[in-house]
Amino acid sequence: QVQLVESGGGLVQAGGSLRLSCAASGRTLRSYAVGWFRQATGKEREFVVAISWNGGSTDFADSVKGRFTIYRDNAKNMVYLQMNSLKPEDTAVYYCATMTYFLSRQGDYWGQGTQVTVSS
């Protein structure tokens, strides 16, 4: 079983940037597609973006297209989420998760999450 730990969250002003990291242990991430999801207070968790096992394909939610980028370093067992042009509505707890099926927009193994707060 793989364990995931997110980091890099924080408080940023609207228009700013953050980079989130997802570190894996226990098993190589190379076997998995990986996705980022988020959950705002009082709302259901939603899909943000996913990357295929080799980084060759990505899938973005419409709300973040053109602003967020995902990439991975399988040698380091890491996946990253670069978030630019942040908006207050991006405020949420962000989770990374392994995905059995790349385009499923559903996670299997989850991290604990990292808080992102965007002030207006």
Side-chain angles (χ1 to χ4, degrees):
Q1 183 172 340
V2 63
Q3 290 82 44
L4 303 175
V5 177
E6 302 92 339
S7 62
L11 174 64
V12 63
Q13 289 188 334
S17 298
L18 280 175
R19 188 183 78 161
L20 305 184
S21 299
C22 175
S25 62
R27 191 171 179 178
T28 178
L29 269 184
R30 194 188 310 271
S31 304
Y32 301 99
V34 176
W36 286 93
F37 300 76
R38 66 187 182 186
Q39 186 168 20
T41 302
K43 296 186 177 181
E44 293 187 354
R45 186 159 54 191
E46 64 175 359
F47 168 79
V48 177
V49 60
I51 188 166
S52 61
W53 71 273
N54 64 352
S57 298
T58 53
D59 177 28
F60 288 88
D62 288 344
S63 58
V64 304
K65 280 181 181 177
R67 300 189 298 121
F68 289 13
T69 304
I70 186 171
Y71 56 102
R72 66 191 298 162
D73 185 339
N74 283 341
K76 295 183 178 179
N77 242 11
M78 298 287 294
V79 175
Y80 303 95
L81 178 63
Q82 178 66 43
M83 306 185 295
N84 299 326
S85 303
L86 282 162
K87 305 175 181 179
E89 51 263 45
D90 295 317
T91 295
V93 177
Y94 283 71
Y95 302 88
C96 64
T98 60
M99 301 169 67
T100 300
Y101 302 106
F102 165 55
L103 293 177
S104 69
R105 297 193 170 188
Q106 294 184 353
D108 299 317
Y109 296 110
W110 296 85
Q112 294 300 306
T114 185
Q115 176 71 46
V116 171
T117 304
V118 184
S119 64
S120 57

